[in-house]
Amino acid sequence: MRIGRVILLSSLLLLMFPLALFAQASGAGLAGRVTDQTGGALPGVSVTATNIATGFNRTVTTAADGGYRFASLQVGTYNVTVGLAGFASVTARNVELNVATERELNFTLKQAAVKEQITVTAEAPLIETSPSVGTVVNQRELENLPLNGRQFANLASLAPGTTLSRNTDPTKPNQLTVALNGGSGRNVNYVVDGGDNTDDTIGGALQNYNLEAVQEFKIQTMQYKAEYGRSSGGVLTVVTKTGTNDFLGSAYGFFRDKSLNEKTKSEELAGVPKSDYKRKQYGASFGGPIVRDKAHFFATYEKLNRDTNYVVSTGGIYPSLDGQIVGTPFHDELVTGKGSVNLTPAQFLQVRYGYQKNADIYGASSLGPPNSLGTVANKYASILGGHTWTIGSSKFNEFVFQWTKFDNFISANSDDPNLNFPNGVFVGQNPNTPQSTHQKKYQYKDDFSWSSTLGGKRHDFKAGVAYIHEPVLGGDFSTGLAGQYLMLNNDPNSPVTDIVIFGGFFGDKTPVNQYSVYYQDDWAFNPRFTINAGIRYDYWTGFDLNQSSNPIWRALKTQRKYSEGYLKDFWNASDTLSNDSNNYAPRLGFTWDMRGDSRRILRGGVGRFYDFPYTNATTLFPASAVQSNYGVVYAYTNSTGIKNPDGSFFHPGQPLPPNQLPAADVPPPNEVASPTITKVPYSDQLSLGYSWEVNPWLGLNFEAVSAWYKDIPFRFRGNPTLDENGRPYLNADGTPRRRFTDFGQGGNFRIWEGGGKAKYQGLNVGFHARMSQKLDMQGFYTLSKAEGNILTGADEFRLTGSDFQPDMHRLGRDASIDPLNPWCSACTGPLFSDSTHRVTLAAVYQAPFEINVSGILRYHSGFPYTEINPGALDLNGDSYRIDLAPGVSHVNSKRTKGFNQIDVRVGKAFRFATPYSVELTGEIFNLLNSDNPVKPDRFGTPSGYAGDPGQGEQRLAQLGLRVTF
């Protein structure tokens, strides 16, 4: 579909409908009905919502059915007053409105001969009343729950079915992700103040915001409305703080030290003393009125310095390195500033600036010495402007503009050749260094809303258009120039089975444009039953890569000898890939208030959800084959060990054997994109839920959810040493020969395919309890299953991954156990992210004497791993040594030990004259000091534990001080 057709479609929608959107992407919704004492509708009632903190207020009028709705209000606490001549006015005080959530608040007015005012206190609901599955994390939870690293998004793990995971991409140091519905966290769309905050190269979050800047957020894991897009998994919607009518500020510091930590399991196994450990995190915030009730400001600054270490453990390969202490300093700096102004009673403007700068050590692992590391440097910046405009009493418009910029560079600590051993130990230049990535984008988004009564039924229409222009998206990935050597045994004198050396320069550019349009109708069929119907359309340009100059493309396109399915896709294909234009996403949901008292809600929905095809999983690397001269300049392979001319085994440092690649002026490429790669990945979702407010202090939620993922992009080695009949393909001298010769890495090139599949099914049981404003508890249990052929996750592009099973990654990186059919039944199994049981519990208790106690318990059962044949042999002669063990029917048939962690926090507040106070806090993470083993090999033996780099924490404590004024 051409851009013009997209614009025409958007324009027609804007003209055909008196549009209505409650732009909850950056605000909160409030709706309800006003009736008399007989239950009759009261039209023409004035309803005014006043923000207690800022004084901002807005007024709407009830329609013929007595219904009213505020399209989008600032997140916060409100007093809501309703009044009509001849009736006593009613004010509901302390009405809490949450981000990306519409709250229902109904009023009953009684007739009064004289002016009369009635005041009530509104309690926040305990149950979910919309079709979407998820949870809100409010200010009280952000301030009081133990939060390691103060990364606010980590509390998204309070949502049913979620798990905290580590972002494995080198551009995101020290960042955790929220893995959900079978994914690893890449397919979660991040929205901050209505602005896009998603990394278009790798997926997941882009810029971070410090905890002090965040008002609250909502994580929706399934069945969100058409206004939310660019995700096949979940949406995390954040609203940052705004200044109030009072000058308020804070200063804080959090500190850790070696004396507060336990030894890590790896330190115990290595027999070394406890490593040095220092961590300081401090900052301040301040905000207040510029003009009371009119204009406000808020700003924060935070700095983090962490000096940690890890212990090298090579398993005896290099005794001189075993036990070596390696420093891993990390520095992070965060700045946020925000101004807001009520231009008129109907118009509101906000401007926000965000900045982040950090530096970290890349590749830190107990399996790697200092020369295998790199150094990461990142800079992020963003400017957002948002304008909202209430038109009359029922129309509302919200416009958002945002500019973002991200620059990353990862340098190498060594130029030594990289040696990779079977147990996962690696020495020499990190193969992913040096590299850099760059992103710059401009976002324009407009949403409009309007309500109407049609056929006696109330309709709340929603529609919007968005455009993101991203002229800079790419980087430099000239890695592997020092050479990579694959060792046969765990011995420095081991034979070498593979040598690969890259050369040239890889400077990639994959700029994109993004167009979106949606339309939504929330149809109140009756006061108790609402239907949510919507459709969304997304179109992305920039994926139309011309591969005519790629010799791999030309070879696969013209050959007819091999006819596997993935090769047939190349036959007679256009040289230029197509941008996918068939991304229509219909969605249908419902809510049924079964008794009309908002205490028993049946809800559910079905819909399609398209993910943004982030470039690192689609066209970024294939573009290198046509945009640069980077490629493999030397390759040699022999699965039994490479030999010198005299018959002895070759060892690194000796003269290289004759190159198996032919001489070439330009390095032969190593990447090619299948015509299927441009299909946009998506999920079809189905959910059914029941919410029950058992009593005023306890609410229960039940959900059955399913998601079917299709067209997941993945990469795999598509040139095995098998002939057209699937038998080993040998040269005359008996050495293995690949099907297609003269290409990079000895012909072992990668095909970027688009036919990955996965399925997630889950049952969630959750509760929320709130008693006397002293105790607030919530939690969930999830029983689930996630399986597919993209083992690293329903949102990933790797068939295998070193962060899940190192030896499977090493013995057949990006290879399928059946390279002739990566969709085979044995290639499909539980995903690495699959965990049958998940439990999360969180509680905040306000004890006597201004003591606050809180805690979080997280548990999940074991993750799967693949049992490879005992000798890790190439049984079928395809050149990959990841063939299954005898009697094993499919990948990932074994399970590791589960994960469990309890974090606690105790705070004591000392209050002086309002608003001055001092709070002393103590936190303990991993209270029970669980080992939490990770990254098993093919025998199930873990290669990492809690306390190792990127693997959570052993038991450690943190002391804190926070002053508010």
Side-chain angles (χ1 to χ4, degrees), residues 437-486:
T437 56
H438 308 280
Q439 298 181 44
K440 182 188 293 184
K441 56 184 171 181
Y442 304 84
Q443 178 190 14
Y444 308 84
K445 183 168 73 79
D446 192 80
D447 301 313
F448 193 77
S449 68
W450 172 83
S451 299
S452 179
T453 301
L454 302 175
K457 308 296 183 182
R458 181 181 178 87
H459 292 259
D460 297 306
F461 299 108
K462 313 178 178 186
V465 294
Y467 169 57
I468 295 178
H469 174 53
E470 197 158 10
V472 178
L473 184 62
D476 167 17
F477 300 90
S478 304
T479 63
L481 305 185
Q484 301 171 32
Y485 296 74
L486 197 62

Side-chain angles (χ1 to χ4, degrees), residues 396-721:
F396 181 82
N397 188 81
E398 180 177 24
F399 175 77
V400 170
F401 167 79
Q402 182 176 248
W403 169 86
T404 60
K405 184 180 180 183
F406 168 50
D407 292 298
N408 158 266
F409 181 71
I410 307 175
S411 60
N413 284 15
S414 167
D415 292 328
D416 298 334
N418 176 269
L419 310 185
N420 200 319
F421 294 89
N423 65 353
V425 170
F426 54 98
V427 299
Q429 184 184 85
N430 191 290
N432 291 323
T433 61
Q435 62 169 277
S436 66
T437 56
H438 308 280
Q439 298 181 44
K440 182 188 293 184
K441 56 184 171 181
Y442 304 84
Q443 178 190 14
Y444 308 84
K445 183 168 73 79
D446 192 80
D447 301 313
F448 193 77
S449 68
W450 172 83
S451 299
S452 179
T453 301
L454 302 175
K457 308 296 183 182
R458 181 181 178 87
H459 292 259
D460 297 306
F461 299 108
K462 313 178 178 186
V465 294
Y467 169 57
I468 295 178
H469 174 53
E470 197 158 10
V472 178
L473 184 62
D476 167 17
F477 300 90
S478 304
T479 63
L481 305 185
Q484 301 171 32
Y485 296 74
L486 197 62
M487 314 301 284
L488 180 63
N489 304 312
N490 293 320
D491 188 318
N493 297 313
S494 163
V496 178
T497 62
D498 290 270
I499 307 173
V500 179
I501 302 175
F502 288 82
F505 176 76
F506 174 9
D508 176 75
K509 296 180 180 179
T510 55
V512 300
N513 288 312
Q514 308 174 39
Y515 305 86
S516 302
V517 59
Y518 69 90
Y519 182 77
Q520 178 89 32
D521 178 10
D522 293 345
W523 174 23
F525 187 78
N526 61 46
R528 293 167 53 187
F529 190 82
T530 299
I531 297 174
N532 312 109
I535 186 168
R536 181 182 181 90
Y537 179 78
D538 293 289
Y539 179 59
W540 297 286
T541 67
F543 299 91
D544 49 346
L545 178 68
N546 187 320
Q547 299 188 100
S548 59
S549 63
N550 187 338
I552 304 177
W553 170 268
R554 294 197 299 267
L556 299 184
K557 179 180 176 180
T558 56
Q559 72 84 29
R560 295 296 184 273
K561 183 178 181 180
Y562 306 102
S563 58
E564 283 77 26
Y566 65 86
L567 292 176
K568 283 185 176 181
D569 292 328
F570 288 86
W571 295 0
N572 301 317
S574 170
D575 288 338
T576 301
L577 302 177
S578 60
N579 294 309
D580 192 353
S581 61
N582 191 32
N583 308 319
Y584 295 93
R587 301 173 191 179
L588 181 66
F590 76 92
T591 55
W592 177 29
D593 186 348
M594 301 175 68
R595 294 187 176 182
D597 58 2
S598 299
R599 294 184 59 189
R600 297 175 186 264
I601 307 292
L602 187 67
R603 50 195 170 79
V606 61
R608 176 161 291 186
F609 302 81
Y610 283 95
D611 199 4
F612 176 78
Y614 50 96
T615 58
N616 199 31
T618 52
T619 58
L620 188 150
F621 283 94
S624 70
V626 297
Q627 294 183 4
S628 68
N629 64 351
Y630 172 81
V632 177
V633 295
Y634 177 92
Y636 201 100
T637 181
N638 187 325
S639 61
T640 60
I642 299 171
K643 294 185 177 181
N644 295 311
D646 62 2
S648 63
F649 282 113
F650 166 84
H651 295 291
Q654 295 179 339
L656 294 172
N659 196 348
Q660 289 181 338
L661 294 180
D665 294 332
V666 177
N670 187 42
E671 318 281 353
V672 67
S674 165
T676 65
I677 196 65
T678 54
K679 291 183 178 180
V680 174
Y682 69 93
S683 66
D684 288 326
Q685 300 180 7
L686 176 67
S687 68
L688 182 65
Y690 174 68
S691 297
W692 177 25
E693 187 178 298
V694 181
N695 52 47
W697 58 267
L698 177 63
L700 301 177
N701 290 295
F702 306 87
E703 288 117 6
V705 297
S706 294
W708 295 265
Y709 297 89
K710 297 181 181 179
D711 293 334
I712 304 173
F714 68 98
R715 65 190 190 192
F716 75 106
R717 301 291 177 181
N719 193 14
T721 54

Side-chain angles (χ1 to χ4, degrees), residues 849-904:
F849 308 108
E850 295 283 347
I851 296 175
N852 292 312
V853 182
S854 63
I856 298 178
L857 178 151
R858 289 183 287 126
Y859 164 82
H860 64 72
S861 56
F863 289 137
Y865 68 92
T866 296
E867 188 177 8
I868 302 170
N869 69 85
L873 304 175
D874 180 9
L875 300 179
N876 59 5
D878 61 7
S879 78
Y880 310 115
R881 295 186 288 138
I882 58 171
D883 299 318
L884 299 177
V888 178
S889 61
H890 61 81
V891 293
N892 280 358
S893 60
K894 295 287 187 176
R895 293 278 174 173
T896 65
K897 181 182 177 182
F899 168 94
N900 69 87
Q901 181 163 324
I902 298 175
D903 302 331
V904 296

Side-chain angles (χ1 to χ4, degrees), residues 26-314:
S26 60
L30 176 65
R33 296 181 74 239
V34 182
T35 60
D36 61 22
Q37 289 178 297
T38 68
L42 289 177
V45 178
S46 174
V47 184
T48 300
T50 303
N51 188 301
I52 297 173
T54 66
F56 173 73
N57 67 81
R58 209 159 80 218
T59 300
V60 298
T61 304
T62 58
D65 64 346
Y68 74 92
R69 184 168 294 206
F70 291 92
S72 181
L73 294 169
Q74 293 174 260
V75 170
T77 304
Y78 286 76
N79 291 334
V80 182
T81 300
V82 299
L84 180 66
F87 291 83
S89 65
V90 177
T91 297
R93 300 181 62 83
N94 300 321
V95 179
E96 185 178 327
L97 301 184
N98 300 121
V99 63
T101 303
E102 183 174 280
R103 179 167 180 179
E104 182 180 6
L105 188 62
N106 299 318
F107 293 89
T108 299
L109 301 185
K110 70 174 184 178
Q111 290 184 321
V114 297
K115 189 173 182 179
E116 184 179 349
Q117 172 71 45
I118 300 174
T119 301
V120 297
T121 299
E123 289 287 343
L126 289 168
I127 59 174
E128 180 59 65
T129 59
S130 70
S132 68
V133 180
T135 193
V136 171
V137 178
N138 60 32
Q139 185 65 204
R140 185 184 184 196
E141 291 161 334
L142 287 170
E143 289 184 349
N144 291 286
L145 285 172
L147 189 54
N148 193 10
R150 289 173 58 82
Q151 293 186 34
F152 72 90
N154 294 359
L155 290 181
S157 61
L158 297 177
T162 60
T163 301
L164 276 183
S165 181
R166 185 170 70 94
N167 193 326
T168 60
D169 193 86
T171 66
K172 298 296 181 291
N174 206 43
Q175 185 187 87
L176 297 178
T177 66
V178 185
L180 50 88
N181 299 346
S184 65
R186 290 180 185 258
N187 65 346
V188 175
N189 188 22
Y190 289 78
V191 181
V192 181
D193 293 325
D196 172 72
N197 190 46
T198 301
D199 190 320
D200 290 339
T201 300
I202 66 165
L206 188 62
Q207 181 177 342
N208 191 25
Y209 293 83
N210 76 58
L211 185 64
E212 208 75 7
V214 175
Q215 175 74 17
E216 66 180 37
F217 69 89
K218 182 176 184 179
I219 174 70
Q220 298 179 81
T221 62
M222 186 169 283
Q223 215 52 56
Y224 33 90
K225 294 182 181 180
E227 62 187 284
Y228 301 102
R230 292 168 39 91
S231 173
S232 61
V235 176
L236 195 149
T237 310
V238 183
V239 61
T240 58
K241 289 181 180 177
T242 300
T244 69
N245 279 334
D246 297 312
F247 287 104
L248 299 173
S250 66
Y252 56 90
F254 296 90
F255 310 95
R256 304 181 192 177
D257 186 80
K258 169 184 176 180
S259 62
L260 302 175
N261 297 354
E262 291 290 335
K263 259 190 177 184
T264 68
K265 181 71 173 180
S266 294
E267 289 169 339
E268 291 180 359
L269 293 174
V272 298
K274 192 186 339 181
S275 301
D276 287 337
Y277 185 101
K278 293 181 180 179
R279 190 178 189 278
K280 299 177 182 179
Q281 190 170 15
Y282 52 90
S285 70
F286 187 66
I290 300 173
V291 178
R292 186 175 179 83
D293 292 340
K294 188 77 174 179
H296 306 86
F297 74 94
F298 185 82
T300 71
Y301 171 83
E302 181 172 287
K303 183 72 178 288
L304 168 62
N305 292 315
R306 185 201 68 200
D307 295 311
T308 56
N309 306 275
Y310 72 90
V311 180
V312 176
S313 176
T314 70

